[in-house]
Amino acid sequence: MEKQVEVQEQLNDLVATFGVFNIKLYQHHFYVKGPHFFNLHEKFEELYDEVTEQFDELAERLIAIGGKPYATLGEFLEYSLVKETSYNGKETAEEMVASTISDYKIIGEKLQKGIELTGKAGDDPTQDLLIGYKFGIDKTVWMLQAYLGKNPLDA
C-alpha cells in the first residue's frame, strides 16, 4: 500500500509540473520572435499540444489508481518541479529553446524516478506510460539541442 501512495505522489508531482510547463510552452509560442519565428512558433505549438495530452493522461491514470490529481493553478505552482517565469521582453528564441531543454531535463529526471518506483511497485501500466514519455522527452531534448548546435553528450 505504501508503494501505491508513493506512485500517486510521483504522478501528482508530474501533473503539477506538466501543468506549469504547458503554460511556459504557450508563453514561448506567444512571444518567440526573430529569424526562426515560423519554425519555433510551430514547434512550441507542437510541444504544448503533446504536453497537454500527457498532462491529461497522467491525471486520468492517477484517478484510475485511486489518487486525486492536483487541479488548481495554486497546486500546480506549489508542487511543480519547473518554475513559472514571466516574459521580460528580452528573452531570445535561443534562450526560450534552452529553457525548454532545461525543463524537459527536469521532467525526464522525475520520470526516471517514477519508472523505477513503478517497477518496484509492480505497476506495469503506469511504468509503461512513463517509459513512453521518457523516450519522447529524450528525443525532443536531442532535437532541441541539435537546433542550438549542441552535442547532447556535451550538454
Side-chain angles (χ1 to χ4, degrees):
M1 190 68 161
E2 181 181 320
K3 290 280 186 225
Q4 182 182 11
V5 171
E6 289 180 53
V7 169
Q8 291 172 356
E9 290 171 355
Q10 285 280 322
L11 290 181
N12 229 350
D13 287 347
L14 286 166
V15 166
T17 300
F18 274 62
V20 171
F21 184 50
N22 189 42
I23 297 302
K24 288 180 77 174
L25 290 170
Y26 267 98
Q27 182 185 71
H28 295 333
H29 172 78
F30 296 156
Y31 290 112
V32 69
K33 59 185 177 236
H36 302 291
F37 169 81
F38 290 108
N39 289 338
L40 287 176
H41 185 75
E42 187 175 310
K43 185 62 176 178
F44 287 128
E45 181 175 356
E46 175 190 318
L47 294 175
Y48 70 62
D49 284 344
E50 182 178 275
V51 168
T52 297
E53 185 176 325
Q54 293 168 339
F55 168 71
D56 183 56
E57 289 173 341
L58 285 165
E60 289 174 349
R61 181 66 189 156
L62 182 54
I63 291 169
I65 63 170
K68 183 179 175 191
Y70 299 131
T72 69
L73 296 177
E75 289 171 321
F76 295 164
L77 292 170
E78 182 177 349
Y79 295 102
S80 176
L81 299 171
V82 300
K83 298 303 169 199
E84 176 185 51
T85 56
S86 297
Y87 178 68
N88 63 15
K90 299 176 186 175
E91 192 174 18
T92 67
E94 289 77 14
E95 288 169 333
M96 290 177 180
V97 172
S99 170
T100 301
I101 291 168
S102 177
D103 289 343
Y104 267 127
K105 286 181 175 182
I106 291 167
I107 294 167
E109 290 171 10
K110 184 67 169 179
L111 287 169
Q112 186 61 46
K113 290 177 184 172
I115 290 165
E116 293 165 12
L117 179 62
T118 52
K120 291 175 185 171
D123 185 348
D124 295 342
T126 303
Q127 187 180 47
D128 287 348
L129 182 72
L130 300 182
I131 289 170
Y133 292 171
K134 178 79 167 76
F135 175 83
I137 284 174
D138 289 350
K139 183 177 178 182
T140 300
V141 166
W142 160 63
M143 290 181 166
L144 293 174
Q145 286 176 322
Y147 171 83
L148 293 178
K150 295 183 178 183
N151 180 340
L153 299 176
D154 297 336

